[in-house]
Amino acid sequence: MKPTLFLLAAGMGSRYGGLKQLDGLGPHGETIMDYSIYDAINAGFGKLVFVIRKDFEEDFRRIVLSKYEGHIPCEVVFQSLDALPEGFSVPEGRQKPWGTNHAVMMGESVINEPFAVLNCDDFYDRDAFRVMGKFLSELPEGSKGRYAMVGFRVGNTLSESGTVSRGICETNDKHLLTSVVERTKIQRFDGVVKYLEDDGETWTAIPDSAPASMNFWGFTPDYFAYSREYFKTFLSDPKNMQNLKSEFFIPLMVDTLIRRGEATCEVLDTTSKWFGVTYPEDRPEVVAKFEKLHADGVYPDKMF
């Protein structure tokens, strides 16, 4: 069974103009999402699922989905604040969505096969889709609790315009994830990758090859049931209801399952170079990179 690609697009608004996700960065107006979907199809993914806001559905179907239909089956699901388990209600004053893992939960009704999850506004590069597609398609039928994450080499994920925040992964000798440590300021100095310690003064060097999480995950469908149950625990914590910006993130769910011994998460090495528009100053460099990829024949003039 071919794996599904689940794209986190609920951050898109209803105005087409200034949206980063719909910015035409390629030489023919391609968006970053176009490249992800092209690479996913070539890596053997068999279906796309987009999670969006309900109020963006009409624009999304017209502007975005119309491009891909006919190339690959597509589904749309919706993330909303009030999509909560029975017995829970939205705290007064809350406007922020419940986070990436809540968005993933919205796919349960349309996904029955192994699936990958990623951000729609990050360029992950072809090899990342190859390694994830291979992992998911080779899972024995009925597999449970065997998850994966693409571990980008941190040196391949930096911005020349400033520091970046990355989840640096720690693994055991079987390449299974043991923890993700969030480093909020990482930068290259004189050829060496360093992160700023919590004291705000000390810069510590790490290898270029240290695996970093860029929110590219692979799951089997049992992940939905675990998420449903743990989301109730998350909402039952008064701190998470009082804090109107608390979010149910994917790493929180994965870390919980690893600690309980209910799942493993293999960190997949990739030669891919991630890039995205972290800073406005990054845009010209990203445009130049896409121009070169097309000029080198990596991508055709017309992908869809």
Side-chain angles (χ1 to χ4, degrees):
M1 186 179 290
K2 289 186 172 184
T4 283
L5 184 67
F6 192 121
L7 294 107
L8 302 176
M12 285 188 178
S14 54
R15 286 185 306 114
Y16 180 62
L19 290 169
K20 185 167 72 167
Q21 298 96 328
L22 298 178
D23 191 4
L25 297 167
H28 313 97
E30 296 90 350
T31 66
I32 286 183
M33 191 158 57
D34 289 338
Y35 293 98
S36 291
I37 290 168
Y38 183 84
D39 286 339
I41 291 170
N42 284 306
F45 285 81
K47 183 172 74 176
L48 305 177
V49 176
F50 299 88
V51 57
I52 65 170
R53 291 204 330 253
K54 180 68 178 171
D55 64 355
F56 189 39
E57 181 181 11
E58 187 180 334
D59 283 348
F60 185 83
R61 290 189 183 278
R62 177 174 52 84
I63 298 166
V64 180
L65 213 60
S66 58
K67 271 194 290 193
Y68 309 129
E69 289 175 327
H71 294 277
I72 185 172
C74 300
E75 300 262 14
V76 176
V77 295
F78 306 102
Q79 182 182 22
S80 63
L81 265 181
D82 58 0
L84 297 174
E86 194 173 338
F88 293 92
S89 57
V90 179
E92 188 177 346
R94 180 165 184 122
Q95 296 179 326
K96 193 175 181 64
W98 292 102
T100 51
N101 208 68
H102 180 251
V104 170
M105 290 167 61
M106 301 304 104
E108 183 171 9
S109 62
V110 297
I111 297 176
N112 302 298
E113 58 283 322
F115 64 102
V117 177
L118 49 69
N119 297 333
C120 68
D121 54 356
D122 289 333
F123 177 75
Y124 290 102
D125 205 2
R126 183 159 299 171
D127 187 64
F129 288 92
R130 182 190 65 79
V131 298
M132 181 59 83
K134 184 174 186 294
F135 174 87
L136 294 174
S137 61
E138 292 179 354
L139 286 172
E141 194 167 341
S143 292
K144 292 185 176 181
R146 286 186 60 185
Y147 308 150
M149 185 202 77
V150 179
F152 286 78
R153 299 168 190 176
V154 68
N156 286 341
T157 74
L158 304 181
S159 167
E160 293 179 14
S161 305
T163 63
V164 296
S165 175
R166 298 287 178 259
I168 302 301
C169 304
E170 297 177 3
T171 61
N172 63 19
D173 56 4
K174 294 179 179 174
H175 306 291
L176 298 178
L177 186 67
T178 55
S179 68
V180 179
V181 181
E182 193 68 27
R183 301 296 182 190
T184 55
K185 292 189 186 302
I186 304 178
Q187 198 166 5
R188 191 185 297 279
F189 297 98
D190 301 321
V192 180
V193 180
K194 297 183 178 182
Y195 67 83
L196 186 64
E197 295 278 7
D198 293 339
D199 62 11
E201 297 177 2
T202 310
W203 288 90
T204 300
I206 53 174
D208 260 59
S209 59
S213 169
M214 301 305 297
N215 217 32
F216 192 162
W217 302 89
F219 299 116
T220 43
D222 56 291
Y223 187 75
F224 293 118
Y226 284 128
S227 296
R228 257 189 289 114
E229 281 310 303
Y230 191 66
F231 190 41
K232 294 175 189 172
T233 304
F234 176 88
L235 295 171
S236 298
D237 185 335
K239 291 200 305 289
N240 292 329
M241 295 302 266
Q242 290 159 9
N243 177 0
L244 299 181
K245 294 185 177 179
S246 62
E247 293 187 61
F248 185 36
F249 290 121
I250 295 170
L252 172 64
M253 186 71 246
V254 173
D255 180 62
T256 299
L257 294 175
I258 289 172
R259 282 190 291 102
R260 289 179 179 173
E262 292 177 306
T264 60
C265 183
E266 186 172 334
V267 177
L268 308 174
D269 181 43
T270 180
T271 57
S272 281
K273 289 181 168 63
W274 172 96
F275 58 83
V277 184
T278 306
Y279 298 92
E281 298 86 346
D282 292 332
R283 193 182 188 281
E285 183 189 348
V286 169
V287 168
K289 284 177 178 175
F290 281 134
E291 278 183 4
K292 186 172 188 319
L293 286 167
H294 281 269
D296 291 346
V298 177
Y299 294 101
D301 288 347
K302 183 169 174 53
M303 292 194 290
F304 298 103

